[in-house]
């Protein structure tokens, strides 16, 4: 995830290094976040109250971020996507949020809190904040809508060597499973797992690179090296901001994927618990929904805040509701996700 307003395609791209210090500011709150989320437009109430941004440490991958924290890195809050929350809970790294201290908690759409991993009789362990889609990006000058009518475009020899797929376990498997007829990954059979792995192995020879950062992908597509990719909304927003001709096919025959991310509250955190709640309240402020849409092309989990944004703006950002098959990247059994990760690493290595 990367905010478009901090990047320029025409210049050389400096990729955000995992776990780098992005902005040292308020020493009483350390936020462990995706590169690019150190965005003032998401935290205006926090800045108004404290006069500065929190201190940020950045990561570029959910699995690497977890390993960093599990190895002893200390922060106050972190921004994992939904399927990672169980790992933080099982490792005893986080504690429940006190929702009585979160002003607009009741405005979070209930669909984002359905899982017992997020909310149970012991408390609310996760505050969902942002969501969007993973779908087919394509260069509209060289690729037709017919070409991207199916996710099997990634197997098409016509585009071999001009395809990029995400170096991300959840997104890559959402693609493979959709391609093989699975839209719910919560109870995968062995046959479904093997079919997905086989599809990824078939796609692998056509892939010029597995992108790790939306800015990297935007550069590749803008330069013509990549014509078709499986990606998030923010790389689309970035390219459109810079005037490149890119389409986002969210309604392929097999469907698309949707995901959401949010914040966890670390146990034994080094900073101020009061400021952690000021931070999450700033995120839940209605103004953050506009900042999220404009800066990232993402939607906010606060439905009341989203209702204040004109529908045409949501359509322009490709976050309006769609009528298609959606594989929701909800939590799955940690053992299965670990297996997906291991299998993907083998595939990338050519095995």
């Amino acid at each position: 995830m990367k905010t478009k307003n901090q990047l320029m395609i025409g210049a050389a791209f400096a990729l955000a290094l995992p776990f780098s210090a992005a902005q040292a500011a308020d020493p009483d709150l350390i936020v462990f976040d995706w590169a690019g989320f150190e965005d003032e437009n998401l935290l205006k109430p926090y800045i108004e109250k404290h006069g500065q941004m929190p201190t940020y440490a950045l990561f570029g991958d959910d699995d690497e971020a977890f390993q960093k924290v599990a190895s002893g890195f200390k922060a106050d809050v972190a921004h994992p996507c939904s399927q990672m929350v169980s790992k933080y809970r099982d490792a005893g790294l986080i504690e429940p949020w006190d929702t009585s201290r979160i002003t607009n908690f009741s405005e979070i759409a209930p669909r984002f809190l359905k899982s017992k991993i997020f909310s149970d009789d012991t408390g609310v362990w996760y505050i969902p904040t942002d969501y969007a889609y993973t779908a087919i990006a394509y260069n509209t000058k060289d690729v037709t809508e017919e070409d991207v009518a199916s996710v099997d475009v990634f197997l098409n020899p016509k585009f071999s060597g001009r395809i990029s797929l995400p170096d991300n376990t959840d997104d890559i498997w959402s693609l493979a499973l959709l391609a093989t007829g699975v839209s719910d990954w919560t109870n995968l059979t062995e046959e479904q797992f093997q079919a997905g792995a086989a599809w990824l192995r078939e796609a692998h020879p056509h892939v010029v690179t597995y992108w790790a950062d939306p800015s990297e992908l935007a550069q590749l597509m803008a330069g013509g090296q990549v014509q078709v990719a499986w990606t998030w909304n923010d790389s689309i927003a970035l390219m459109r901001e810079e005037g490149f001709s890119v389409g986002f096919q969210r309604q392929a025959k097999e469907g698309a994927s949707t995901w959401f991310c949010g914040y966890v509250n670390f146990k034994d955190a080094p900073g101020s618990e009061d400021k952690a709640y000021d931070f999450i309240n700033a995120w839940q402020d209605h103004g953050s929904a506009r900042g999220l849409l404009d800066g990232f092309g993402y939607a906010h989990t606060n439905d009341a805040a989203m209702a204040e944004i004109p529908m045409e703006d949501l359509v322009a950002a490709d976050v309006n509701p769609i009528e298609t098959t959606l594989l929701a990247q909800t939590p799955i059994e940690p053992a299965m996700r670990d297996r997906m990760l291991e299998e993907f690493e083998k595939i990338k290595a050519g095995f």
Side-chain angles (χ1 to χ4, degrees), residues 46-337:
Y46 186 96
I47 297 169
E48 290 170 3
K49 183 172 182 178
H50 298 291
Q52 57 189 346
M53 290 278 282
T55 294
Y56 277 83
L58 304 179
F59 60 84
D61 177 84
D62 251 331
D63 291 293
E64 291 179 21
F66 173 77
Q67 291 301 325
K68 176 81 171 180
V69 175
S71 297
F73 176 77
K74 291 293 185 180
D76 297 291
V77 299
H79 192 182
C81 292
S82 61
Q83 59 276 16
M84 295 296 295
V85 178
S86 60
K87 298 191 78 167
Y88 285 91
R89 281 196 65 175
D90 292 347
L93 295 169
I94 61 175
E95 62 186 16
W97 290 95
D98 179 355
T99 58
S100 70
R101 300 181 66 181
I102 301 175
T103 307
N104 291 333
F105 176 77
S106 63
E107 295 180 350
I108 297 173
R111 65 185 181 277
F112 294 109
L113 287 166
K114 278 185 177 180
S115 173
K116 291 182 179 179
I117 293 170
F118 307 151
S119 179
D120 59 18
D121 55 8
T122 63
V124 174
W125 296 81
Y126 189 53
I127 304 298
T129 51
D130 49 295
Y131 71 95
Y133 298 90
T134 312
I136 304 171
Y138 62 102
N139 183 330
T140 57
K141 291 183 178 180
D142 302 314
V143 184
T144 68
E145 290 186 11
E146 183 179 357
D147 288 329
V148 294
S150 166
V151 298
D152 278 346
V153 66
F154 298 114
L155 307 180
N156 190 338
K158 176 181 176 181
F159 302 109
S160 187
R162 296 290 184 89
I163 286 170
S164 185
L165 298 180
D167 193 3
N168 177 291
T169 301
D170 304 296
D171 289 307
I172 200 73
W173 275 93
S174 72
L175 170 60
L177 293 172
L178 283 167
T180 52
V182 177
S183 58
D184 181 351
W185 69 2
T186 53
N187 290 292
L188 284 183
T189 66
E190 181 64 21
E191 182 180 8
Q192 289 170 331
F193 178 88
Q194 293 298 339
W199 190 93
L200 288 176
R201 285 189 168 86
E202 186 177 355
H204 177 71
H206 300 291
V207 176
V208 64
T209 188
Y210 290 92
W211 64 266
D213 184 285
S215 62
E216 174 192 7
L217 176 60
Q219 176 76 344
L220 290 167
M221 293 195 73
Q225 297 98 318
V226 169
Q227 292 182 327
V228 186
W230 184 247
T231 187
W232 308 320
N233 291 63
D234 47 353
S235 57
I236 303 296
L238 172 59
M239 285 184 276
R240 287 176 177 167
E241 179 80 0
E242 298 296 328
F244 291 97
S245 299
V246 61
F248 196 40
Q249 170 60 283
R250 294 185 296 155
Q251 301 200 82
K253 178 179 68 175
E254 299 84 356
S257 182
T258 183
W259 49 263
F260 63 96
C261 305
Y263 286 89
V264 292
N265 188 14
F266 284 121
K267 187 186 298 182
D268 302 322
S272 166
E273 185 79 350
D274 289 339
K275 287 186 177 180
Y277 282 93
D278 289 341
F279 172 85
I280 206 67
N281 279 322
W283 250 101
Q284 289 300 320
D285 182 79
H286 286 203
S288 292
R290 172 54 77 174
L292 187 62
L293 185 71
D294 291 346
F296 299 79
Y298 293 171
H300 204 293
T301 58
N302 185 322
D303 275 358
M306 290 299 295
E308 297 174 359
I309 298 176
M311 180 55 70
E312 56 263 32
D313 292 356
L314 304 183
V315 172
D318 286 305
V319 291
N320 59 302
I322 52 176
E323 294 180 4
T324 189
T325 299
L326 282 175
L327 188 154
Q329 294 185 26
T330 51
I332 56 178
E333 287 296 325
M336 174 55 75
R337 193 177 178 284

